[in-house]
């Protein structure tokens, strides 16, 4: 009896584990690692325009995932705005992706409150899945060739210096 029960439990666990893998069709979706080509996306901006990552090939891009309710995201917003202003005319762009589920009014209020001038896009679940977003804030630095060169999770005390040094080395 114990042996039969153990076999049922192990079989169930194996079936459950295999069903929890992130897949789209028959292809497993694997988030990008350092050196991988960044997954392309085309999303609606908060201002109604449509933006694709591919539009920025040849530029250094930061793809930033955040939320209006996230305290570290609130702390990071003015830092990113300073970085954006410093490098926007030198071939650098920030694309801020926020879940469209938050509602446009809350997002626009956050943008106004924090003086954000870089593009804010309404992210869908597919894009978040392709980037493996499981916590926020998280950003991906993408070089001019479209490859991920770093991934930053959260907000650290030295984030301004880390990002500035990294961006300057890529421009």
């Amino acid at each position: 009896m114990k042996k039969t029960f153990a076999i049922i439990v192990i079989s169930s666990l194996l079936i459950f584990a295999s069903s929890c893998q992130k897949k789209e069709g028959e292809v497993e979706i694997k988030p990008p690692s350092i050196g991988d080509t960044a997954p392309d996306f085309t999303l609606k901006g908060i201002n109604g325009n449509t933006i694709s990552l591919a539009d920025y090939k040849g530029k250094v891009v930061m793809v930033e995932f955040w939320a209006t309710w996230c305290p570290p995201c609130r702390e990071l917003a003015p830092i990113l705005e300073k970085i954006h202003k410093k490098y926007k005319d030198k071939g650098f762009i920030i694309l801020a992706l926020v879940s469209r589920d938050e509602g446009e009014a809350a997002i626009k209020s956050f943008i106004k409150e924090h003086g954000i001038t870089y593009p804010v896009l309404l992210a869908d679940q597919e894009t978040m899945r392709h980037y493996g977003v499981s916590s926020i804030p998280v950003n991906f630095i993408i070089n001019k060739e479209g490859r991920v060169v770093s991934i930053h999770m959260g907000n650290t005390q030295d984030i301004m210096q880390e990002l500035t040094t990294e961006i300057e080395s890529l421009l």
Side-chain angles (χ1 to χ4, degrees), residues 112-131:
K112 184 176 180 181
E113 178 184 342
H114 295 283
I116 295 172
T117 59
Y118 45 85
V120 175
L121 310 177
L122 302 173
D124 54 19
Q125 291 301 315
E126 178 182 352
T127 303
M128 294 173 75
R129 202 170 49 250
H130 279 278
Y131 276 85

Side-chain angles (χ1 to χ4, degrees), residues 87-153:
Y87 297 108
K88 69 178 182 172
D89 296 326
K90 298 178 182 177
F92 173 76
I93 184 81
I94 296 173
L95 299 177
L97 279 65
V98 61
S99 173
R100 64 176 64 165
D101 297 338
E102 290 205 40
E104 290 190 25
I107 296 167
K108 286 180 178 179
S109 176
F110 184 95
I111 291 167
K112 184 176 180 181
E113 178 184 342
H114 295 283
I116 295 172
T117 59
Y118 45 85
V120 175
L121 310 177
L122 302 173
D124 54 19
Q125 291 301 315
E126 178 182 352
T127 303
M128 294 173 75
R129 202 170 49 250
H130 279 278
Y131 276 85
V133 176
S134 59
S135 64
I136 52 170
V138 60
N139 67 59
F140 296 79
I141 305 292
I142 301 164
N143 67 13
K144 294 176 182 181
E145 292 75 37
R147 298 203 173 274
V148 175
V149 294
S150 70
I151 302 168
H152 297 268
M153 295 182 170

Side-chain angles (χ1 to χ4, degrees), residues 2-3 9 17 21 47 53 61 68 70 77 103 105 111 114 118 123 129-130 132 141 148 150 158 167:
K2 286 182 181 179
K3 188 175 181 180
V9 169
Q21 293 178 350
N47 296 327
L53 178 60
V61 179
T68 59
C70 163
I111 291 167
H114 295 283
Y118 45 85
R129 202 170 49 250
H130 279 278
I141 305 292
V148 175
S150 70
D158 300 324
I167 292 163

